[in-house]
Amino acid sequence: AFVVVVGLVLGAAGMMVLDDAVRESPARADRTQRVEPAPDASIAASEQVLLVWTPNGLPVDLAATVAALPNVTVTSEVQGDLVEMVASTASDGAAVDTTAAGYVIPLDALAVDPATYARFVPKGAAAVFGALKPGEVILGETSARLRRVDVGGTIVLASGEQLRVAAVLGDALVGGAEIVVPRGTLGAITTPRFLLVTTRGARSDFEAAVRAQLPATVAVRFRAPGEAPLLRHGDAVLAQAVVKEQFGEFAYRHAGGRDLDLDPTWVRDHIVAVDLPLLGQVRCHRAIVGDLRATLLELERANLGYVVTPEGVAGCFVPRLISPDGGLSRHAWGIAIDLNWPKNLQGELGTQDVRLVEALVAHGFAWGGRWLVPDPAHFEWVGGKQSSSDPQGEGQRRR
């Protein structure tokens, strides 16, 4: 099978359950490592690559506006949404995955313009994107492992589309997505998530020019290669494919509004009810309980138990979407917990004690209080060595 894994400018009959149950704390993979540009990249030495993203999607006309700015040479708008899979087959047509009736498997999907996106990846990958046709899909490496499907296999969506796997690329080359398709070929993918840009001007001038085109109420994040593990929106938290690989993949069915009914077998194997210091009983993914307990014990032993209150816990395992038509909340995996709510509402700076934040961050939790749209009650497990003052720790809403 043809698998492309190269260097990058971009930085990756029963109910189906694809994982080995995680019984211990997940490995602390350091996902803050820098990613260097590839030597065979097609970007000129006089140009720099930048990514632009805003929470909940880019303003509709931003791509055209940025393309018209002085010194901007190439732009590529990338769309992204959740799509739902019901089956997959291997290259020989043999069934790999099939969900139970009414259940679907969520996939983090991006849609790119093959011609312009190809300008932002090394030559080998550029040829793959340039040849991508309607009805074809590129899988990221992690996604291919989850799917157990290689080139020539098929992904079948709940909406009826059958997508042939054209290639498998390194996760960073696909922005960490599970699947990538050509723009305009899947009706479910419409939200403009981020913009890739090459510019010959000073970065500060470019950023100022973009901000001048946005309403003052719209927060914006700029990234260059190496400033985040992946060049994509919401880059301060783990990509969905990585979450699945570490914590397990589930099927679900819609239960109305944001609510989901998860495969009960997955819930039984991964979600536990535990009594924790300071909080009492909570239901979380078994793999994060060790880090959460250790954090709370440290606070208790330091006589800092008052920085968190049981009545302020707004859930750990809560199977739901971020919005009725949005992506999956990390609460659906039980790897996020909301503390001291409602004194720390989304969109506000909040009142969290810095010692609570520092303790949780030290044990692998990202804090939503420094995201572009603050979510100060929200703590989400991401692993690695974190810093409570890291200015790059601004992610996208994952509630």
Side-chain angles (χ1 to χ4, degrees), residues 81-385:
D81 283 296
L82 201 67
V83 299
E84 297 173 335
M85 187 188 90
V86 293
S88 63
T89 62
S91 57
D92 62 0
V96 178
D97 296 321
T98 303
T99 61
Y103 282 79
V104 297
I105 300 163
L107 301 180
D108 173 31
L110 294 181
V112 304
D113 170 46
T116 57
Y117 191 86
R119 297 288 300 275
F120 293 88
V121 297
K123 295 174 183 177
V128 176
F129 281 105
L132 190 62
K133 298 179 178 61
E136 293 183 336
V137 62
I138 295 174
L139 303 184
E141 268 194 298
T142 301
S143 178
R145 289 195 298 269
L146 290 165
R147 298 276 60 80
R148 297 168 293 157
V149 171
D150 211 325
V151 175
T154 303
I155 304 295
V156 182
L157 302 182
S159 50
E161 293 94 343
Q162 296 191 23
L163 306 173
R164 177 187 175 275
V165 179
V168 175
L169 298 179
D171 287 346
L173 294 170
V174 298
E178 293 180 73
I179 68 170
V180 178
V181 299
R183 281 187 56 171
T185 61
L186 286 184
I189 309 176
T190 59
T191 306
R193 293 296 181 185
F194 59 89
L195 187 65
L196 295 169
V197 179
T198 58
T199 176
R200 293 192 178 96
R203 175 171 174 172
S204 58
D205 292 342
F206 171 78
E207 292 186 6
V210 173
R211 285 194 171 95
Q213 307 302 320
L214 295 171
T217 55
V218 175
V220 60
R221 171 58 55 209
F222 301 92
R223 300 290 199 201
E227 293 181 355
L230 296 168
L231 283 186
R232 63 168 288 147
H233 58 291
D235 52 18
V237 294
L238 301 182
Q240 183 170 290
V242 176
V243 172
K244 288 182 176 183
E245 191 165 57
Q246 292 200 36
F247 299 101
E249 180 177 71
F250 49 72
Y252 66 73
R253 61 185 178 187
H254 293 276
R258 299 169 59 193
D259 297 333
L260 304 171
D261 285 333
L262 271 54
D263 171 4
T265 301
W266 186 92
V267 175
R268 181 197 64 204
D269 290 344
H270 295 83
I271 302 302
V272 293
V274 293
D275 288 317
L276 294 177
L278 309 180
L279 299 185
Q281 188 174 92
V282 297
R283 294 183 75 203
C284 294
H285 196 293
R286 64 172 66 250
I288 73 160
V289 168
D291 282 322
L292 193 53
R293 186 189 303 277
T295 302
L296 296 167
L297 281 173
E298 287 177 8
L299 292 170
E300 188 176 57
R301 290 165 181 164
N303 296 318
L304 293 173
Y306 58 87
V307 302
V308 59
T309 58
E311 59 271 20
V313 178
C316 182
F317 173 61
V318 185
R320 65 190 181 195
L321 300 171
I322 296 171
S323 62
D325 58 351
L328 267 174
S329 169
R330 297 304 185 251
H331 286 286
W333 277 272
I335 63 169
I337 189 165
D338 292 343
L339 298 176
N340 295 329
W341 185 93
K343 292 184 178 181
N344 292 277
L345 299 178
Q346 186 177 24
E348 300 179 0
L349 295 179
T351 61
Q352 297 289 20
D353 191 296
V354 66
R355 292 166 293 185
L356 171 63
V357 173
E358 289 175 346
L360 281 160
V361 164
H363 284 275
F365 290 84
W367 179 44
R370 61 176 184 270
W371 291 357
L372 285 179
V373 176
D375 195 357
H378 186 85
F379 296 88
E380 178 175 327
W381 198 95
V382 296
K385 184 178 181 181

